[in-house]
């Protein structure tokens, strides 16, 4: 199943406590071939960017950096696995890890708005 994320917006519906994204965070995905990029902002995040690679099953491997509401620069890695819901929306199950700060790990779920 080939998924194209180009021009799709996502927002978190669930996150572990050590994460910074909230329901107010909006991700605007762009995809060109296998390369995925996004700008994101909202909630605890002033501004963020990500870049990733999308495989043939729609899985995403990405790196991200963001400036949070405290003015700190945070970085991390994330792996996302897609599910197509019965209403046709895309849900992404994410496993992520900070590469800055406390280097903790977490899980989140984001859905197409």
């Amino acid at each position: 199943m080939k998924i194209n994320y180009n021009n799709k917006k996502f927002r978190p519906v669930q996150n572990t406590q050590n994460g910074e994204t909230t329901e107010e965070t909006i991700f605007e995905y762009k995809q060109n071939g296998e390369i995925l990029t996004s700008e994101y902002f909202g909630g605890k995040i002033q501004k963020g960017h990500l870049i990733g690679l999308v495989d043939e099953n729609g899985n995403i491997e990405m790196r991200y950096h963001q400036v949070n509401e405290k003015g700190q620069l945070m970085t991390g890695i994330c792996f996302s696995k897609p599910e197509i819901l019965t209403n046709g929306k895309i849900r992404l199950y994410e496993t992520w890890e900070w590469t800055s700060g406390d280097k903790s790990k977490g899980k989140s779920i984001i859905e197409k708005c």
Side-chain angles (χ1 to χ4, degrees):
M1 162 191 57
K2 195 80 165 157
I3 297 176
N4 190 323
Y5 296 102
N6 195 45
N7 292 323
K8 291 181 172 53
K9 290 185 179 183
F10 290 84
R11 84 170 0 138
V13 294
Q14 190 176 317
N15 199 356
T16 45
Q17 215 168 7
N18 57 331
E20 293 188 337
T21 62
T22 66
E23 291 178 5
E24 292 83 41
T25 309
I26 302 292
F27 293 83
E28 298 178 357
Y29 280 18
K30 301 288 183 194
Q31 185 177 346
N32 188 347
E34 65 182 8
I35 299 172
L36 177 80
T37 59
S38 177
E39 285 195 17
Y40 57 97
F41 55 88
K44 298 178 182 178
I45 298 170
Q46 293 184 49
K47 184 87 165 168
H49 298 100
L50 66 81
I51 188 165
L53 294 172
V54 181
D55 73 13
E56 63 277 357
N57 297 314
N59 298 306
I60 308 166
E61 176 185 353
M62 67 181 84
R63 306 289 182 268
Y64 58 90
H65 59 249
Q66 61 201 35
V67 176
N68 64 23
E69 63 187 353
K70 298 174 189 169
Q72 299 167 314
L73 178 62
M74 302 295 289
T75 61
I77 59 176
C78 181
F79 298 92
S80 298
K81 184 178 174 70
E83 175 190 12
I84 306 298
L85 303 177
T86 53
N87 62 6
K89 278 190 175 183
I90 302 169
R91 177 181 286 167
L92 291 169
Y93 294 90
E94 302 182 317
T95 304
W96 50 265
E97 180 177 346
W98 292 114
T99 55
S100 63
D102 66 6
K103 301 210 164 67
S104 61
K105 298 179 181 183
K107 292 184 183 298
S108 53
I109 299 172
I110 67 172
E111 286 184 7
K112 184 177 174 299
C113 309

